[in-house]
Amino acid sequence: MSGRDRAEAEVLRVLRAASPAGRAVGPDDRLLEDLGLAPADVTRLAWDIEQALGADLPRDDLASVFTVRSLIDLVDQHYDPLTAEPKQGWHM
């Protein structure tokens, strides 16, 4: 599995867990409008993704993330599967 595929799989896993039961999550879904997330939810989910992948996502960049695809792109930009180590505990 490529780094991009791993990033996409993790983003979709986290978003599906946060979405109402049975709600399909697709790349073109808008985080706030379609999935019903609040900005604080997006920050928390980004932290969950960081923990799972060992990536560091700049909080300032989250302000420009509006869709599932843009979140996947952001994670992909900051995730290197060769050097990333999943984190345990609180690292913010």
Side-chain angles (χ1 to χ4, degrees), residues 18-80:
S19 297
R23 170 70 165 90
V25 176
D28 294 321
D29 286 333
R30 297 170 298 172
L31 299 173
L32 305 181
E33 296 86 349
D34 298 330
L35 300 181
L37 300 174
D41 295 328
V42 175
T43 301
R44 181 183 52 78
L45 295 173
W47 184 81
D48 291 344
I49 294 164
E50 287 178 324
Q51 297 302 296
L53 293 177
D56 290 316
L57 305 178
R59 293 299 179 260
D60 291 342
D61 291 354
L62 286 176
S64 63
V65 170
F66 301 106
T67 65
V68 173
R69 186 181 319 278
S70 62
L71 181 56
I72 292 168
D73 290 344
L74 178 66
V75 173
D76 184 45
Q77 288 172 3
H78 297 281
Y79 172 60
D80 180 355

